[in-house]
Amino acid sequence: MPETIEIPPRTGTAFRLQKGQRLRVIDPQGVQVSDLLAFNAHDTREVISNGRTLDYASRLYLTTGDPLYSNRSNIMLSIVEDTCGRHDFLLTPCSKDTFRIIYGHTDPHQGCFGNLAKALEPHGIQPDQIPCAFNCFMNVPIDVKTGMFTVEPPLSKPGDYIDFTAEMDLIIAMTACSAGLSNGGTFKPIQYQISDQ
Amino acid sequence: MPETIEIPPRTGTAFRLQKGQRLRVIDPQGVQVSDLLAFNAHDTREVISNGRTLDYASRLYLTTGDPLYSNRSNIMLSIVEDTCGRHDFLLTPCSKDTFRIIYGHTDPHQGCFGNLAKALEPHGIQPDQIPCAFNCFMNVPIDVKTGMFTVEPPLSKPGDYIDFTAEMDLIIAMTACSAGLSNGGTFKPIQYQISDQ
């Protein structure tokens, strides 16, 4: 059994994932989002791209069988198993600005953006390089007529997970999301496992 | 009257837009998309961000009154007039890879991405810095249940336009889009005007 590593509530981490390895992102308590980023480990200017991925998928909601593309149109990760089935690839990591603009907080938390920036700094990746994340378990339904969307509690139950296979050597950054709206009003941990398959 | 400048079919251009200036993007023949990018003229690592913008708007489709944010959550442009009312801010500029992956072309056109990259090179901006564009007049309806979307002909009629005010000094890049699906199967010019208001 691969080791289970826990990301405490409202924090983030970053690590290497080698080509061919499998990453399992687990929501241990349910109703908790994890923002996930991927960078080419050998050239960090190549980064996960929601625009490329959604364009090629012609679909907003991704699940088992879907590839996640980079800004250079290379496949970085493939989704190989998914017990939840609802994730978001539209919105940016929550940040000080999110809490200021959307929540009206006067002393805002650094959010997933700050946590990702801190975790990526030792890998030589600057905050400006952080794109839209693949937001595991995030639930963003859309009103098709108006285009309005809302951020609703995740559909994930305790123990739900999503598995990715690395299609190139990667630096992965992940959070246990810090935004109340995204997580049903509570802040919970996220777990992950890495296996060689 | 401000000068009207034409962007020939399947090409692109880039220029400075000073804070306070107004940019009008015109579809002279109708049913033609223009991909639009914005960079902070004084620090080109700051760039237009669909994720930040859509997150703060809570809406996929933007029009008059909506601000367009940067990756640093600063307002770069404001939409101040819009005679069409349907644009896209979801998809990346079409590229060689778009034509290879979606269209199956064996000798693909460089697309808006290649045209934007070429136009931005003299400004010291690298291809990897190109994010999702604000796609003026692009029509991407979504099926709310499945999340599937399609690229349909623009709703723009001849002479329709969208006006932006610059909220900071910008480098703007724009195209007359090169993708058949986006433009009702034909490739037409785009025009623009810059005025001091």
Side-chain angles (χ1 to χ4, degrees):
Chain A
M1 277 288 289
E3 182 189 6
T4 299
I5 303 164
E6 186 153 302
I7 305 173
R10 300 190 111 185
T11 70
T13 189
F15 50 86
R16 288 286 294 261
L17 189 71
Q18 304 301 331
K19 182 176 176 175
Q21 284 187 316
R22 186 176 180 125
L23 170 67
R24 173 165 295 185
V25 181
I26 306 162
D27 182 357
Q29 299 179 20
V31 194
Q32 174 63 40
V33 167
S34 175
D35 289 18
L36 184 146
L37 293 176
F39 296 82
N40 178 340
H42 306 295
D43 182 351
T44 57
R45 293 171 303 179
E46 182 168 15
V47 57
I48 195 167
S49 166
N50 66 340
R52 290 271 162 236
T53 301
L54 298 177
D55 205 348
Y56 301 148
S58 293
R59 198 158 14 89
L60 282 182
Y61 304 122
L62 305 179
T63 185
T64 306
D66 283 320
L68 306 187
Y69 284 87
S70 75
N71 55 338
R72 296 181 189 168
S73 292
N74 297 311
I75 299 176
M76 302 190 104
L77 293 159
S78 294
I79 304 175
V80 290
E81 204 175 333
D82 178 11
T83 67
C84 174
R86 174 54 69 98
H87 315 279
D88 170 73
F89 204 12
L90 193 61
L91 302 181
T92 40
C94 61
S95 68
K96 277 192 176 182
D97 298 300
T98 311
F99 293 123
R100 177 177 57 81
I101 294 172
I102 296 183
Y103 291 73
H105 292 179
T106 50
D107 185 22
H109 189 273
Q110 70 176 1
C112 286
F113 188 87
N115 288 330
L116 291 164
K118 189 177 164 194
L120 287 166
E121 192 177 18
H123 297 276
I125 295 166
Q126 303 300 313
D128 283 329
Q129 293 177 258
I130 295 177
C132 286
F134 184 84
N135 301 306
C136 305
F137 313 118
M138 190 168 181
N139 181 19
V140 184
I142 295 165
D143 181 309
V144 69
K145 284 204 181 128
T146 62
M148 295 287 295
F149 53 79
T150 51
V151 176
E152 300 291 338
L155 303 179
S156 47
K157 302 175 299 297
D160 269 342
Y161 59 84
I162 177 169
D163 285 6
F164 305 88
T165 297
E167 306 289 356
M168 62 171 75
D169 293 344
L170 296 170
I171 296 163
I172 297 286
M174 277 174 54
T175 68
C177 174
S178 307
L181 277 178
S182 304
N183 303 294
T186 57
F187 307 118
K188 301 168 289 300
I190 285 289
Q191 295 175 341
Y192 68 95
Q193 297 171 342
I194 296 172
S195 61
D196 292 327
Q197 308 213 330
Chain B
M1 278 286 291
E3 184 189 6
T4 299
I5 304 164
E6 185 154 303
I7 305 173
R10 300 190 110 183
T11 69
T13 189
F15 51 85
R16 287 285 294 261
L17 189 72
Q18 304 301 333
K19 181 176 176 175
Q21 285 187 315
R22 186 176 180 126
L23 170 68
R24 173 164 295 184
V25 180
I26 306 162
D27 182 358
Q29 300 179 20
V31 195
Q32 174 63 40
V33 167
S34 175
D35 290 17
L36 184 147
L37 293 176
F39 296 80
N40 177 341
H42 306 294
D43 182 351
T44 57
R45 294 170 303 179
E46 182 166 17
V47 58
I48 196 167
S49 167
N50 66 339
R52 290 271 162 236
T53 301
L54 298 178
D55 204 348
Y56 301 147
S58 293
R59 197 158 16 88
L60 282 182
Y61 304 121
L62 305 180
T63 185
T64 305
D66 283 319
L68 306 187
Y69 284 88
S70 76
N71 56 336
R72 296 181 189 168
S73 292
N74 297 311
I75 299 176
M76 302 190 103
L77 292 161
S78 295
I79 304 175
V80 290
E81 203 174 333
D82 177 11
T83 66
C84 173
R86 175 53 70 94
H87 314 278
D88 169 74
F89 205 10
L90 193 60
L91 301 180
T92 41
C94 61
S95 68
K96 276 193 176 181
D97 298 300
T98 310
F99 294 123
R100 178 176 57 79
I101 294 172
I102 296 183
Y103 291 71
H105 292 179
T106 50
D107 184 23
H109 190 272
Q110 70 177 1
C112 286
F113 187 87
N115 288 331
L116 292 164
K118 188 177 164 195
L120 287 166
E121 193 178 15
H123 298 275
I125 295 167
Q126 303 300 311
D128 283 329
Q129 293 177 257
I130 294 177
C132 287
F134 184 85
N135 302 306
C136 305
F137 313 118
M138 190 170 181
N139 182 19
V140 184
I142 294 165
D143 182 310
V144 70
K145 285 201 180 128
T146 63
M148 296 286 296
F149 53 79
T150 50
V151 176
E152 301 291 339
L155 303 179
S156 47
K157 301 174 297 299
D160 269 343
Y161 58 85
I162 176 169
D163 284 6
F164 305 88
T165 297
E167 307 289 356
M168 61 171 74
D169 293 343
L170 296 170
I171 295 163
I172 296 285
M174 276 175 55
T175 68
C177 174
S178 306
L181 277 178
S182 305
N183 302 295
T186 57
F187 306 118
K188 302 167 288 301
I190 284 289
Q191 295 175 341
Y192 68 95
Q193 297 171 342
I194 296 173
S195 60
D196 292 327
Q197 307 211 334

